[in-house]
Amino acid sequence: MTLRSKMLSVCADVNDQVAEREELVELIAIALLTRKNLFLLGAPGQAKSYAINAFRSRITGARQFERLLSKQTDEEQLFGRIDLSSLIPGSVPQDVLEKNPQYQEMCGRLKARLANGQSAGDLPEQIERQRKALSELYSGEPKVNTAGKIPEADIVFLDECFKANDGVLNSLLTALNERKYTNEGRTYPIPTISFFAASNEIPNFADPQEKILEALYDRLDLKVVTENISDRAKRLAILRDKQTGRAGQIAASFTLEELKEMQKEVSDIPVSDSVNELADDILCELRKGGVPVSDRKYLNYYLIAQAKAWLSGHTAVEPIDLLALKNYLWQKPGDRAVVEATLNRMCVNPMQDKVNSIQAMALEALNDFDDARESASKPSGEARALQKFRGELVRLYGMQQDLVNAAQSDSERALADSLLEDLEQSNRQASQSVNFTCMPLNELAAMQ
């Protein structure tokens, strides 16, 4: 079974456990494949945490951390507490002793002797000498016990993520953004692949007291909104599974090491210049429509597209894979419809969208020419209007030629050829209206 097949099997297995959460399950996979963070927005009781837990329980070998946040949650509960023994002169932090092979080997031998009724011999003295040697190296250095906390977790789930106090939020921001945590002047790397966070509301960032939450919200790269199950048959199916005990059974899984191999395969998916240009067109269209998309977000879009292409079995990122950006490009829930509509229009048939755009510009130029020709009092005015119009047509002809070169199928080439016919028709119509000889666009372009 290929790595991709294993991932798809896990996605299918989780989807069998929940209803109408296909979008969420795919986003969990994309987040893990790209080491991105995912935010879930929805009312309580919509299986947000259940879906997350169902997915991560199918990754064997992955260390997990989960916490319901509140104002009473402190940093120690998330990142670990100071090992007091590390502050006592001559003492050794417990984790240093646990990770020292010589010390552990001697302790093991001592336990075995005592269990068998044998004499301890000089082992206690050897153990004490080793402990003192370690204390010379590590005594007095503040040490945080991170066992079972975020700094030792591969996957983290934080429920009600915006309910934490300011101190915890500041620490989380660094953890999400830089994958590190600092305590007592010492910085600890965080191996976490993805942070998953859930909430039933988005803070009011216009409120000065909640403004601090905006940076945290921005670092949750992927966002999805959940709804109650709308299909009656699916609700009843889930209910029957719970009643018969079938809910929660695991039928597919993969290991943490396999996930890392999947990430490598995803990063190797090529992204063409034409796809990058399409992504830039989408960026400009969204900004023009009032949807804010930062440069930082745009410059990292390809990771999401690569993951979607990999999941879809594509050998390279295709325009259709950019549809996955519908859960990456919006910040406000009210912008979701605009983002999705823009992506559908520009990615499902990007050639048609570009053809339509050029046709609209040609029509606008023709209308401007007609207005200028009708208002001209002398033939020289008509000639200047035609010259200006031809200049615009030559520019559009250059764009049409770019489409011809970028066409990847017979249907796309046919669209580009049809566009050229439309441009030539406008060229002939304008020339005839002022009794000028019509020159084909390729000849006009060669003269410039």
Side-chain angles (χ1 to χ4, degrees):
M1 180 180 287
T2 64
L3 293 173
R4 174 175 169 270
S5 297
K6 287 191 173 185
M7 175 61 83
L8 293 179
S9 295
V10 166
C11 289
D13 193 25
V14 175
N15 277 320
D16 285 342
Q17 301 288 323
V18 293
E20 299 179 0
R21 293 294 177 266
E22 290 81 6
E23 182 180 51
L24 170 57
V25 171
E26 181 179 75
L27 283 173
I28 296 172
I30 289 176
L32 292 170
L33 290 169
T34 58
R35 302 184 68 89
K36 293 291 187 182
N37 306 316
L38 172 62
F39 172 63
L40 292 74
L41 175 65
Q46 292 181 345
K48 300 188 298 296
S49 59
Y50 183 86
I52 293 287
N53 291 332
F55 202 111
R56 63 195 184 107
S57 67
R58 286 161 171 77
I59 308 175
T60 58
R63 297 167 297 177
Q64 312 279 352
F65 180 86
E66 178 179 356
R67 183 74 62 179
L68 175 64
L69 301 186
S70 69
K71 292 298 182 184
Q72 286 69 47
T73 304
D74 59 35
E75 292 185 54
E76 291 184 344
Q77 293 174 289
L78 301 182
F79 297 98
R81 64 182 68 249
I82 290 287
D83 184 347
L84 296 180
S85 65
S86 68
L87 303 178
I88 302 174
S91 66
V92 186
Q94 184 61 33
D95 72 322
V96 171
L97 297 176
E98 291 174 354
K99 293 176 182 178
N100 185 266
Q102 293 87 356
Y103 183 87
Q104 291 300 315
E105 188 271 336
M106 287 186 290
C107 287
R109 285 164 48 200
L110 178 60
K111 289 179 181 178
R113 285 189 180 185
L114 296 177
N116 294 328
Q118 298 175 325
S119 170
D122 64 348
L123 276 175
E125 289 78 10
Q126 293 181 39
I127 292 173
E128 180 60 19
R129 284 197 296 271
Q130 181 70 10
R131 192 195 67 78
K132 287 183 177 179
L134 292 172
S135 72
E136 290 296 322
L137 293 174
Y138 299 101
S139 178
E141 178 182 333
K143 185 73 175 178
V144 178
N145 183 7
T146 59
K149 305 300 181 181
I150 289 178
E152 296 188 15
D154 298 301
I155 300 172
V156 173
F157 176 48
L158 303 173
D159 203 359
E160 296 299 341
C161 58
F162 298 123
K163 298 294 178 63
N165 57 61
D166 291 355
V168 167
L169 289 170
N170 283 327
S171 296
L172 283 176
L173 181 60
T174 304
L176 267 68
N177 191 37
E178 303 176 37
R179 294 296 195 268
K180 64 183 182 182
Y181 170 67
T182 300
N183 191 314
E184 295 293 333
R186 181 174 177 181
T187 298
Y188 301 84
I190 294 178
T192 303
I193 296 170
S194 296
F195 284 84
F196 297 97
S199 177
N200 55 24
E201 60 182 357
I202 291 178
N204 177 15
F205 300 128
D207 185 339
Q209 293 185 339
E210 299 188 7
K211 183 69 175 177
I212 188 176
L213 301 171
E214 188 170 15
L216 181 68
Y217 179 73
D218 186 61
R219 293 306 185 271
L220 297 167
D221 314 274
L222 296 161
K223 298 176 175 66
V224 63
V225 178
T226 59
E227 305 287 349
N228 288 320
I229 303 172
S230 61
D231 186 277
R232 183 172 185 268
K234 292 179 180 178
R235 287 197 301 269
L236 291 175
I238 295 296
L239 180 60
R240 283 193 296 270
D241 284 347
K242 291 176 67 68
Q243 292 171 339
T244 57
R246 289 195 297 269
Q249 296 180 0
I250 297 178
S253 65
F254 54 79
T255 68
L256 178 63
E257 290 306 312
E258 286 174 329
L259 175 58
K260 293 178 181 178
E261 293 176 22
M262 294 175 188
Q263 293 170 345
K264 177 64 169 60
E265 288 190 1
V266 167
S267 67
D268 289 339
I269 296 288
V271 185
S272 66
D273 288 342
S274 61
V275 169
N276 282 331
E277 290 167 4
L278 175 58
D280 197 81
D281 291 340
I282 293 168
L283 169 72
C284 294
E285 190 72 10
L286 290 175
R287 285 177 173 176
K288 186 170 63 176
V291 177
V293 181
S294 68
D295 288 343
R296 177 178 58 82
K297 177 152 286 200
Y298 162 70
L299 293 172
N300 288 283
Y301 92 89
Y302 63 93
L303 300 169
I304 311 302
Q306 285 175 312
K308 177 61 176 178
W310 185 82
L311 288 170
S312 301
H314 299 158
T315 57
V317 174
E318 300 179 6
I320 197 73
D321 296 320
L322 270 60
L323 290 178
L325 299 178
K326 69 177 182 179
N327 293 106
Y328 177 70
L329 295 176
W330 64 267
Q331 284 288 93
K332 302 175 183 177
D335 292 333
R336 287 187 304 146
V338 176
V339 171
E340 186 168 6
T342 301
L343 290 170
N344 284 331
R345 174 169 57 82
M346 300 182 69
C347 299
V348 174
N349 191 346
M351 181 66 77
Q352 182 66 69
D353 185 69
K354 291 179 179 179
V355 166
N356 292 343
S357 177
I358 295 173
Q359 286 175 329
M361 287 187 285
L363 179 59
E364 181 179 1
L366 182 59
N367 290 335
D368 290 344
F369 163 75
D370 287 337
D371 292 342
R373 177 179 56 82
E374 291 174 0
S375 62
S377 58
K378 297 180 180 180
S380 60
E382 293 180 340
R384 285 193 297 271
L386 180 62
Q387 184 179 12
K388 180 181 178 181
F389 176 63
R390 282 180 170 178
E392 177 64 7
L393 280 185
V394 168
R395 186 182 74 85
L396 298 178
Y397 170 74
M399 297 172 65
Q400 183 272 339
Q401 290 296 292
D402 289 340
L403 295 185
V404 171
N405 295 330
Q408 299 180 2
S409 65
D410 290 341
S411 61
E412 289 190 346
R413 280 186 284 274
L415 278 172
D417 291 342
S418 176
L419 172 61
L420 178 57
E421 293 176 7
D422 291 342
L423 295 177
E424 291 287 16
Q425 175 60 31
S426 297
N427 185 27
R428 288 191 294 270
Q429 180 179 337
S431 298
Q432 291 170 3
S433 68
V434 292
N435 297 317
F436 271 64
T437 301
C438 180
M439 294 181 63
L441 289 174
N442 62 333
E443 294 183 14
L444 287 173
M447 294 172 59
Q448 293 192 358

